[in-house]
Structures are given as C-alpha cells and as structure tokens.
Amino acid sequence: MATQSLESSASTDEKPVKMRKVAAASFMGTVIEFYDFGIYATAAALVFADTFFPALGEHAGTVVSYATLGVAFVARPVGSIVFGHFGDRLGRKRTLIATMSIMGAATVLIGLLPTAAAIGVAAPVALVVLRIAQGLAAGGEWAGAALFTSEHSPQGRRGFWAMFTNLGGAFANILALGTFLITGLYMSDETFASWGWRLPFVLSFLLVVVGLFIRLRIEETPAFAAQAKRPRAESDGLPFKDAVVHQWREILLGAGSLVMAFSLGYIGIAFLTNYGTATLDLPRPQVLGAGMFGNLLNCLAIISGGILTDRFGRRRILLIANIVGIPWALALFPLLDTGGLGAFWVGMSVTFLIAGVGFGVAGSFLSELFHTRYRYTAAGLAYSLAGVLGGAVPPLVAATLIDGYGSLVFGIFLAVYCLVGLLCTLALRETRHRELIEPPLHAGETA
C-alpha cells in the first residue's frame, strides 16, 4: 500500500513536468513553422516584388509575391496527407522531426537565394520550389504538434495544453516582425532591400537546432502507442482513405469553422503590413511595431481561448469568436482608411485578438473530432484546408478587390468568411468530453 501510494505521488508530481516538456516541444515546432511563414509573409509585403519579380512592376509584383505566399498554403493539404500517413503509421514524434528539418532547411535556403537581378528567371522559380517545400512541411507539422500536446494532456485541461501549438505561431510572428524591425532600424532602405531581409531567414537555423533538441527527448503519445499495439483490422485502409470515408463531414466542417481565424490572422500578418506602408503611407517601423503589439495580444487571446474552452466548451468559444468577427470585418477598413496611426494600431490589435481566440480553440477541437487511427491525417487536412481558404485567398485578392471596388467590399468579403465559420461551427457538436484513446473502428462502423 505504501509503495502504491509513493508511486501514485511520483506519477502526480511527474505529470506537470512531462506536460511542460511536451508543450515546449510543440511550442518550439510551431515557433519555427510560423516564424518561417511570418518572415516570408513580411518579406513578400516589403521586398519580394522588387527582389524576385522586378519585371512585373510594383502592383503586379506585389500580387505575385502574395501568390507565392499562397503556394505554400496550397501545398499544405498535400503535406498533411503525406506526413499524416507517416504520423498515423509510424508515430507523431518521428514525423515531427522530419517536418521540422525540412521546414528549417527550406527557410535557410530562401535566405541564401540569389535575386532575379543575379540569376534571372531561375530566382523566382527556385523561390516557388522552396516555398512548396515549406508548405509541405507545414502541412505535416501543425497536426503532429497539436496531437502531441492533446494526446499527452489530461482531458480536463486539454484545451489549455493544446493551445501551446498555436501560441508558438503568435510568438513566431512577434519574432519575425521584430527581426525585420531591428534590421530595418539599423539599416538604410537600400541595404535592407539588398541583403538585410535575408538575416531573419538565415537565423531560423538556430530555432531549428533548439527545436530538434527538445523533440528528440520527448516520448511518443499514449494514444498512438495504444493504437499501435492493436492488430490492424482487414477493413483498415490508408489513413487518408479512411479519414475521408468515415469523417469527410467533420474534415470539411472543421476546416470551415477555422477560416475566420486564418483570414483575420493572415490579413494582419501579411496584407496590413503592406497596406499600412504602401497605401496609408505610415512609417514602416510604426507598422511593424503595430504588428508586434497585435501579435502580443494574439498570444493573450490564444491563451484565453484555450483556457475558456476547458470551462465553457470548444464550440461555444468558437461561435463567439466568429460572431464578433462579422461586424469587425465590416468596420476594419473604414477605420484604417481614416489614415491615423492610432487607428492602424487599433485595427491591427482587434484583428489579432479575434483571430487569436479562434486559434486558441483549434488544437483541442480538431484533435477531438477524429479517430486515433487517422487523427494526424484528418486534423492536418482540416487545418490545412482552412489555411488555403482563409490564409491564402484573402491576402491574394485583397489588393485587387480594394483597388477595383474599394476597401468596404473587401471588408464584406472578410465578413462572409466569419459567417461561414459561424455556420460550420453550428453544424458541429461539442467535443470537450471526448476521450482520445478509443477502440479501433470495425467494418460498417463510423467514428
């Protein structure tokens, strides 16, 4: 009895320590993923039009720069399927080490890539290829990181621990913007455009080293370990096939429920940076500072969203975020177009606050929607589809819609995204009380 009591006490003491290590591993992974995406989005807004697409002119070059940003989002669903297959078959840990390595290598190579002035058309082609590699790795990274925390965490605090995955993304955006801000402050515009923009890409190597060190020390998740011990049934197919056959509805609705967070979040990190400097003619340091402050609030909103989901449920918090997003999308650009610096800071801040609540729900909500046997594939696919629809499309069409029809029309466009998120969330059930370790599916059963 005494031995059992001591063992129980030790287990209780070890659990918080273990969860902190698991959360750190997921946090660092998404720091690297979103840092790489964030610095690319910022560079696309500030310098890529002149560096890689000078022949197209300023407007067309900017549009094509955002198109290369979208290329990675298109690649993300493919990456979620490819790496999801290995994550569901070989384990979360091994797959996450591979995705982090690929993402880091592609980002450093972008920082070393010659410009169009040096090697001609080969420069933008190579940029697109490396961007696709980033997208493939990101498609496999997020789901694995989210499951790593969700499948390790206790049910009653799963929302809190799972939010660390997206918290890493918000922190990464602060790092990305801060790096550009510091390099911009200590360099002339000519120096920054010539080579200063490369520093944030090359410095990502340090993050990769730290991230790999942390991940190599973490055990596989209990849910996958339990699933791996079960004999595979004759009816079991490829993870992607089974996910689509058994839970296609949850994949589509799960993606739709998060398009609001992606659309507002990536408008903030990608488009508004360019809008503030090029259209509103605001000082670049102030624009980058507003982005950093907005992402700080984004961090707080992600933490709050994760905590609140454990108390009130994933679905309810996501519904509130989507509802609030609709009027804000309509008010955002009229506010920005007043041209004031204070208005720009408010616009950035509130946009990131609303998006952050949505991202705070995502990790636990998508993990709980799907069966263990294909959870990596299904959760990654849903998240990646949300990224394509919400993260890639709005920044790509923003300049064209605003130039052709005015900023209010683009605000309506964003409000429709929030409405889609609201309707999709209403169509899903609450998942807070669901266990993540369950018996395998048999022929004729659905998850």
Side-chain angles (χ1 to χ4, degrees):
M1 290 292 291
T3 302
Q4 288 181 335
S5 177
L6 287 172
E7 289 177 351
S8 175
S9 176
S11 175
T12 301
D13 291 340
E14 289 170 4
K15 187 67 175 178
V17 175
K18 176 184 176 182
M19 284 310 306
R20 285 194 288 270
K21 291 180 179 178
V22 169
S26 294
F27 176 83
M28 279 304 303
T30 45
V31 164
I32 293 167
E33 175 195 347
F34 284 93
Y35 175 81
D36 295 345
F37 263 60
I39 58 177
Y40 191 99
T42 306
L46 297 177
V47 298
F48 277 2
D50 294 328
T51 303
F52 292 103
F53 308 101
L56 299 177
E58 183 178 352
H59 176 74
T62 300
V63 171
V64 174
S65 294
Y66 285 128
T68 63
L69 177 67
V71 162
F73 283 103
V74 175
R76 284 177 78 157
V78 179
S80 68
I81 295 170
V82 172
F83 289 108
H85 173 85
F86 294 109
D88 284 321
R89 288 291 176 84
L90 301 180
R92 319 318 193 194
K93 178 178 176 177
R94 285 196 233 178
T95 307
L96 284 171
I97 291 171
T99 58
M100 181 180 287
S101 301
I102 293 171
M103 175 66 82
T107 303
V108 172
L109 288 174
I110 289 175
L112 301 175
L113 192 63
T115 65
I119 61 173
V121 72
V125 171
L127 180 68
V128 171
V129 171
L130 292 172
R131 188 63 180 153
I132 291 172
Q134 282 188 321
L136 292 173
E141 169 65 34
W142 182 88
L147 299 191
F148 217 52
T149 48
S150 294
E151 292 181 348
H152 271 293
S153 64
Q155 180 180 322
R157 300 200 69 201
R158 191 180 295 144
F160 169 75
W161 290 113
M163 67 80 192
F164 276 94
T165 303
N166 280 81
L167 183 63
F171 183 76
N173 289 335
I174 296 175
L175 283 181
L177 291 168
T179 307
F180 276 106
L181 177 60
I182 292 170
T183 54
L185 286 174
Y186 289 94
M187 295 178 182
S188 66
D189 289 345
E190 292 76 16
T191 303
F192 180 81
S194 175
W195 60 268
W197 65 268
R198 298 179 182 276
L199 292 178
F201 289 89
V202 176
L203 290 174
S204 69
F205 173 77
L206 300 176
L207 294 176
V208 173
V209 172
V210 175
L212 287 174
F213 175 75
I214 295 174
R215 281 193 172 169
L216 287 169
R217 302 175 66 195
I218 303 297
E219 299 175 356
E220 186 55 81
T221 72
F224 177 81
Q227 182 68 34
K229 292 178 182 177
R230 299 188 178 102
R232 194 172 298 165
E234 292 183 6
S235 59
D236 292 352
L238 296 174
F240 172 69
K241 176 185 175 183
D242 285 349
V244 172
V245 169
H246 292 295
Q247 291 193 271
W248 62 268
R249 179 180 178 273
E250 285 82 358
I251 292 173
L252 294 178
L253 292 175
S257 69
L258 294 174
V259 292
M260 174 278 296
F262 271 98
S263 61
L264 294 183
Y266 275 86
I267 280 297
I269 191 62
F271 181 73
L272 291 187
T273 302
N274 178 266
Y275 194 76
T277 54
T279 303
L280 302 178
D281 200 28
L282 297 173
R284 186 171 67 193
Q286 288 287 349
V287 169
L288 293 175
M292 290 179 65
F293 182 73
N295 273 285
L296 177 61
L297 296 180
N298 194 21
C299 288
L300 297 177
I302 289 171
I303 294 170
S304 300
I307 292 173
L308 290 172
T309 62
D310 284 330
R311 182 171 182 181
F312 300 107
R314 327 297 186 209
R315 184 173 176 269
R316 183 180 299 178
I317 300 303
L318 198 52
L319 284 173
I320 293 171
N322 279 293
I323 290 170
V324 173
I326 295 173
W328 176 249
L330 297 173
L332 175 59
F333 281 91
L335 174 66
L336 295 177
D337 289 342
T338 61
L341 187 59
F344 185 81
W345 276 65
V346 171
M348 272 283 203
S349 299
V350 178
T351 299
F352 277 119
L353 270 174
I354 298 171
V357 174
F359 282 126
V361 180
S364 56
F365 192 46
L366 290 187
S367 297
E368 293 162 347
L369 278 177
F370 303 107
H371 191 276
T372 305
R373 186 162 50 81
Y374 48 74
R375 182 176 292 138
Y376 198 130
T377 301
L381 186 56
Y383 194 79
S384 296
L385 289 174
V388 172
L389 296 173
V393 175
L396 181 61
V397 304
T400 302
L401 282 179
I402 291 173
D403 288 344
Y405 304 99
S407 59
L408 181 59
V409 171
F410 183 64
I412 295 172
F413 181 83
L414 289 179
V416 171
Y417 268 83
C418 298
L419 179 61
V420 169
L422 174 63
L423 295 176
C424 289
T425 306
L426 283 171
L428 289 167
R429 295 181 179 179
E430 178 56 56
T431 62
R432 178 172 40 143
H433 300 296
R434 183 178 174 190
E435 294 288 346
L436 294 187
I437 300 177
E438 68 282 85
L441 296 175
H442 299 292
E445 293 182 345
T446 58

